[in-house]
Structures are given as C-alpha cells and as structure tokens.
Amino acid sequence: MNATISTTQPLVHAKNICLHVPIFKPRDRQLLSSPGKFLRDLYFFRTQREIVTILDNISFTLHPGERLGLIGSNGAGKSTLLRVIAGIYRPSSGNLMVNGTAKGLFSITMGMSPEATGLENIYMRGLQMGLKLNEIKKLVPEIVAFSELDDAIESPLNTYSTGMSMRLAFSVSTMVEPDILLLDEWIGTGDARFRDKVKARMDKLVEDSRGLILASHNTALMKNLCTRGLVLSKGKMIFCGEIDEALDIYANDKLIQTKA
Amino acid sequence: MSEIVSLFSMKRIQLWGFTSWFQFLIRYRKTLLGPAWLLVGPIMFIAFLGLLFAQVGGVSRAEFVPHLTIGLIVWTLISGFVIGSTNVFQQAKGQILQGGIDLTDIVMVSVFSTIIHFLHQIVLIVAVFIIFSISVTPYALFSLVGVILLIINGIWLTIFFGIIGARYRDLAEIVQAVMRIAFLATPIIWMPGETGRGGVMGVFLVYNPFHHFLELIRAPLLGDPIAPLSWMVVLTITAIGFILAYFCFSRFAKNLALWV
C-alpha cells in the first residue's frame, strides 16, 4: 500500500475547506423564572435547528516529514479540523486531498463495549480498524503484554479501573501505525512507569509516521515537536507558517483578546 | 463494479459476521437462559394464541399453528429490520466519531444481527412442523428465495431509514406506531380465508406490502401457491427501495457524522 504513495506529493492538501454543522437550540425559555413556566417550557420547548460554521475557509498543505501544530483556544475548531482530515466529518465545501492513511487517536476509550472482556474488545477494535482476524490474533500477545493487564484481559471491561481501561485503549489504538498521525492532545496516561512506556510508544509513532498533525495547548511540546503551526480562532485561520512565529502570533492574539 | 466486489470482500464479511455475532452473545451474557430467550417469548405467544384463537377462528389447530408460527417468526425478521433501522447510526455514534469504520459496515452489522436472531428462531418452525407432522415438498425450498429477497430489502431499508432517522428522530416513533398496526393488519394471528376478522381484513390485503413479503416465505412452506401479484409487489419494492437508498446515501451520507 505504501509503495503507491509518491514521496514528493503533499500528504494533506486542504483548500478553502468549510464545515457547517447543524445544532439544535431551544428557543428562548425561562426555566428559572417560575415552576409553572418551567414545566410549560420543558413541554413546549420548540427547538430550533441552526447551522453553525465551525470551520471557515481553511487552507494548508502538509508535506512529507512535516509536523503541523494546530494552535487555538477552546472551541476554535482544532479537534473538528482533525476529524475532517481523518475523514469522519466531510467538508461542506472546499477540497481536501489526503495521500495515505490518516488516523487519529481521538477519545480512545470511546466505542469499546463495557460488557465484553478486554480480549474481545481487542478483536472488535482490530476489525474496526480494518485488520483481519488472523492479523489481530498475531498482535494480541504484544497488546496484552504492553497493556500489562495479565489475567484481567479475560474479565469484562466494566470491572476495570479507569487506569486499566486507558491502558488497554491506548495499547489497542496504537497497534496500527498510520501514515499520517492525527493527535488531539498528546497522550500521557497511567502511573509513572507506564507513562514512560506510553511516551516511548508515542515517540515511535511520531518517528514512524510520514506526517503529524497535533492539536494541543502545550506550547513547549509544540515547539519541540512541530515544524509548522496553524493558528485557529473561532473556526477561521489566522496564520499558517513556522511554528515559532505561529506561537508568537497566538500569544499576542491572546494578549489582545484579554486586554480588550 | 469493483466497488461492489470490494463491498463484499472476505475481510468485510468477517467484520460484519464477527461483530454482529459478538454483540449478540454479549447481550445475553448476564442472563441465565442466554439466547434461549429468543425462543421463550415466541413459544409463549404461539402456545397461548394457538390454544385460544384456533377455537375462536373456527380453523383446526394443525392448520392455524404453523400459519401463526411462520408468520410470527418472519414478522420478527421484518420488524427487526424496520425498527432497528431507524436508530442504527445513532447506536454506532461511538464508532462513527472514532473514525475508520465505513457507514456500509454499520448497516451490514445491523442487518447481520437481525439475521442471527432469525436463524435462532427458525428452530421453532422446524419444531412446529414436526409436532404437527406436516409434509414438506421440494417446493418449500422456494421460501428461501423469499427469505433472501426480504434480507436484501432489509439492506436498503436500513440505509434509507437509518439516514432519515438520524436527521429526524421522529421517524423511530412513527415507525413503531405504524408497525404495531401493521402487525394486526397482516395475516399472522388470523387467516385471510376466515369468516369474521379474516373476511373483513382480507379485502385490504393486496395493499399490505408486508403480506406479500410474508406470502413469498410462508406459502411454499405450507404448500400453497404464491400469487403472481406478490412477486410483482416485492420485486418492485426491492427496485424502488434500492434506488431511494442509493440517492439518499450519495446525497446525505456525508452529513451523517454531524447528525448522530
């Protein structure tokens, strides 16, 4: 599969992508004014469907070997942009070309079934990630060893502690290495010892990937890891260029915002 | 063409079969009887109505009970498709937002789950045929064609209702209300030839699509001829359904991740 990917073509090329999202909003209601109105408003809530623009005219190119950092405050559209690149949300307008497999680690515990055992969840997720049963079978010992769950792998997920399910989710989610790695916040999980393993695995993922897009609030990490930065504000692209410059612009922008 | 071939690749059939079967087993894990619960409900229903209605309707039990059993089991398959389809994508929200899974995979897993239920309940039909020592001719194999046609219709229905149900949550409510009436309007707990109920309802039977689907499966098993009209109705519905589902999918599939 990798052989067909040319080395000179950009990994991701986005041109003027927009994303409009429908949201349901209750019309003006005064839930708190009186008990009578409270009940009336709950019954006759008359929701309104509104279209909101989450991403507005975003254009950028990611070349092989580049690492792009998405910078912006909460709700700026960073995670949404990552999901668009992963192909989960399709842009409402504009062009998006992705060359290779773009996969992300988004809320990694989502989509696991609590009633099933750890082992069964490994199989389910593996199939979902496009692996064959015998391919998963080969990966299982490694995943179990990495997650350090030992015998607990045979118990249902709802008996796991938060740390245990995070460990499993992480081990499973990182079993396939994508061409283009999409990260919504850097993942650091577990106790101190496990965190070292996670860090090593994450570093290896970044090392092996042909490109990285990272959304994070961690400025030091961004400086360290990324080569370029894209600054988002309320869905609009403010800047796209060198990472240091991007971080400066964001810092100044925040300064302006807080002063105003 | 290659698109259709890749749709039914071994890997994807593995995904559909394993996922649906697995979800099926997980669902009954905490019960004592397990999947046998799929039989208990229908057995109670058939035993009660078989004893009572055979006397009310004035037909012999040997005639009514097989009619009722096949009708009920096939109805469970039909309503499984219809009712299950309305929230199929909402159920899979976690997987959709995780990325990597195809929408057609979600549809097929849902269709497979309904088929698995059906396959378990076929035991009841076999049992009733043995109890009433009904002779089966090779003509009975024709009902397989009916079953396959019904399953094929389940696919477009799940796509079409799934998409509309994700956009308009009201669909699930409407469908449940309609299916309750449809159950009574279809000759399952009554026979078309009867005087009384059957005579009154029988006039409208040609307008009942569920009746035609049921006839294709039930008539060959009981050695009755299939009316040419039933073939025409079912094949027409299949063709129109797939055209509807195709347009609906190509037009709205890209919005689904935003609607669930």
Side-chain angles (χ1 to χ4, degrees), chain A residues 4 12 14-15 18 21 37 48-49 53 61 70 77 97 149 164 168 176 178-179 188 204 211 223 229-230 243 246:
Chain A
T4 58
V12 182
K15 198 165 176 247
C18 297
V21 176
K37 274 187 186 150
Q48 204 169 15
R49 193 167 181 268
T53 303
T61 310
L70 302 183
M97 192 215 62
L149 284 166
M164 281 160 84
L168 179 68
V176 179
D179 295 332
K204 186 174 176 300
K223 261 196 175 126
L230 192 156
I243 184 69

Side-chain angles (χ1 to χ4, degrees), chain B:
Chain B
M1 192 62 205
S2 64
E3 233 172 75
I4 296 171
V5 172
S6 74
L7 189 66
F8 289 97
S9 70
M10 207 47 225
K11 195 164 87 178
R12 299 189 71 187
I13 293 176
Q14 237 179 26
L15 167 69
W16 305 335
F18 188 85
T19 312
S20 53
W21 196 28
F22 173 80
Q23 284 173 352
F24 168 77
L25 294 176
I26 293 287
R27 194 179 138 200
Y28 292 102
R29 185 164 282 174
K30 282 188 175 171
T31 60
L32 291 175
L33 283 185
W37 274 116
L38 278 176
L39 304 181
V40 174
I43 287 174
M44 282 162 64
F45 193 85
I46 292 162
F48 179 72
L49 284 188
L51 288 174
L52 188 75
F53 274 35
Q55 267 146 28
V56 177
V59 274
S60 74
R61 206 165 286 159
E63 203 181 337
F64 181 67
V65 174
H67 169 92
L68 169 70
T69 309
I70 301 170
L72 185 70
I73 304 302
V74 173
W75 182 261
T76 315
L77 181 63
I78 294 175
S79 70
F81 285 140
V82 178
I83 294 174
S85 65
T86 51
N87 63 353
V88 58
F89 293 117
Q90 287 98 296
Q91 297 271 331
K93 183 178 180 169
Q95 291 159 29
I96 293 175
L97 294 187
Q98 188 73 240
I101 196 158
D102 231 69
L103 294 176
T104 43
D105 287 336
I106 294 166
V107 168
M108 290 309 286
V109 167
S110 166
V111 169
F112 269 49
S113 305
T114 314
I115 297 173
I116 290 174
H117 282 217
F118 175 68
L119 289 178
H120 281 75
Q121 294 185 325
I122 285 181
V123 179
L124 287 179
I125 299 179
V126 177
V128 164
F129 271 56
I130 293 170
I131 291 170
F132 291 94
S133 52
I134 295 164
S135 55
V136 183
T137 55
Y139 168 61
L141 286 174
F142 257 95
S143 70
L144 277 180
V145 180
V147 171
I148 290 165
L149 274 172
L150 179 52
I151 290 170
I152 288 175
N153 276 275
I155 299 173
W156 75 254
L157 196 93
T158 309
I159 298 171
F160 184 59
F161 274 15
I163 293 174
I164 298 189
R167 172 65 182 80
Y168 299 101
R169 301 295 159 98
D170 312 68
L171 184 72
E173 310 285 338
I174 300 166
V175 162
Q176 280 194 25
V178 170
M179 287 309 275
R180 209 168 294 145
I181 300 167
F183 175 75
L184 294 175
T186 308
I188 296 165
I189 56 171
W190 51 274
M191 297 181 85
E194 280 176 57
T195 48
R197 269 170 318 173
V200 176
M201 302 284 262
V203 186
F204 303 102
L205 268 187
V206 281
Y207 304 111
N208 182 347
F210 301 112
H211 164 67
H212 296 294
F213 275 99
L214 178 54
E215 270 305 287
L216 289 195
I217 300 171
R218 187 164 58 189
L221 281 173
L222 298 177
D224 299 331
I226 301 172
L229 179 70
S230 294
W231 285 109
M232 271 155 57
V233 170
V234 167
L235 291 175
T236 312
I237 289 177
T238 313
I240 294 174
F242 268 102
I243 294 169
L244 269 178
Y246 176 78
F247 279 110
C248 202
F249 192 81
S250 47
R251 174 95 175 74
F252 299 115
K254 66 173 200 160
N255 296 340
L256 257 180
L258 301 172
W259 288 347
V260 292

